[in-house]
Amino acid sequence: MSKIITMPQLGETVTEGTVLSWLVKAGDVVSEDDPILEISTDKVDTEVPSPFSGTVTALLVEEGETVAVGANLLELDGDSQDIVETPSEVPEPETQEEPEIVEKETGEEVSSVVVESDSDQKLSPIVRKLLSKNNLNPSSLNGTGKDGRITRKDIEAYIATEERPSEEKVVKEAVAEKPVSRTKSIGEPIPRLRQKIAENMVRSKQTSAHVMTTIEVDYEKISQLRNETKEAFKKDEGFSLTYLPFIANATIDALKKYPVVNSSFDLDQGSHTIHSNIDLGIAVDINQEGLLVGTIRESDSYDVKALAREITSLSQKLREKNFSLEDVSGSTFTISNNGSFNSFLTSPIINQPNVAILSTESVKKKAVVVESEGNEDSIEIRHSGILSLTWDHRVFDGSTALLFLNSIKDKLENHDWSGEIS
């Protein structure tokens, strides 16, 4: 009896995946949990293990094809004839060529071109003929065929880029011009991560009614505490203490007070889910290649020091690309730490299906007016920074957004943090 393997549900918000490559072919015997293919989703690229043991009788999807969750991918122990083989280069006909006879013309001598190739380079007769005809060295071409093999299209493309009109050459020789430095634009394929980010950003803007609200925070107490403890903290933990774990801790408390900010909203389904758990998402820059949102599960169970450890560990995993799907899915609220890149004010895009995202901006010294108990104002130099909240106006209103932000501000400015760091 045949068994059909389908596209798995890789995360609660994942609806489709792209087959990157097959790791098996028809006739292969696989055991349960053997990897059978690589797929790409909007969250992660990963191998998919086989849920069954058996003999592969059909690959039902081609490499590069995007299919929905639940779609049929592969058949085991069947008699299907609908086998989709992994695309490969069709070999060009190995026809026996008759030697060309070249006659000498009066006053001219025609010399033949010998095409030499590396021992590892396989060239079909047609390719050899084109190389010889155009006096090309195979080493100067990049083959796009299987295992880097040079094809007819590679040679034609190379010739097309090298050819120039003869009139242009005559003009260049006739007119002496100063050399002009010109930078050519280079077209490159869009990486998969950037494609997924682009799709997610556009979908988010089309889904949520984005509104941004900001508030200024006095970080002076936290700055003083960091200065007092930074050497001992780095010696004990192996990394520096930043403002982010303090902000994360205050944000978690605010999410408890205003749970509507920690929710998901689906207008098409008519559902609004208030999450009982706070799974905090942290946006991490992957060496300027893109952003990934790592998830700290049950983040309300951590104090500031533990949050600092979790954020550092998670960021390292993502940057080294040593993470699982569990690490980058299921967040209920997201923080984007733009302040680490010296930002002043950022309007982040909501990470779906969240209903809000907080941007932490850079903390700088500035002159501020400080009110004393005797109603006498003074000017002091203090550490200050902005918090920006982008929120979905379909789900709640400006009053909630500001109450939420002021709750974060109040804890950051007035809480006694010393007990959580020592």
Side-chain angles (χ1 to χ4, degrees), residues 33-51:
D33 293 331
D34 282 352
I36 54 174
L37 79 159
E38 292 180 330
I39 65 171
S40 174
T41 72
D42 60 353
K43 298 293 185 183
V44 68
D45 294 352
T46 186
E47 291 183 348
V48 173
S50 175

Side-chain angles (χ1 to χ4, degrees), residues 250-263:
T251 300
I252 291 166
D253 274 6
L255 290 170
K256 292 177 181 178
K257 295 176 183 177
Y258 303 96
V260 69
V261 186
N262 188 54
S263 68

Side-chain angles (χ1 to χ4, degrees), residues 16-63:
E16 62 183 18
T18 301
V19 176
L20 296 180
S21 63
W22 284 104
L23 305 179
V24 295
K25 61 183 182 298
D28 286 354
V29 177
V30 298
S31 300
E32 184 177 347
D33 293 331
D34 282 352
I36 54 174
L37 79 159
E38 292 180 330
I39 65 171
S40 174
T41 72
D42 60 353
K43 298 293 185 183
V44 68
D45 294 352
T46 186
E47 291 183 348
V48 173
S50 175
F52 316 112
S53 298
T55 301
V56 178
T57 49
L59 307 181
L60 306 177
V61 178
E62 293 185 355
E63 290 182 353

Side-chain angles (χ1 to χ4, degrees), residues 143-160:
T144 60
K146 186 177 181 181
D147 298 326
R149 185 175 179 181
I150 298 172
T151 66
R152 175 190 290 182
K153 290 182 178 179
D154 296 330
I155 299 174
E156 292 171 347
Y158 182 87
I159 294 171

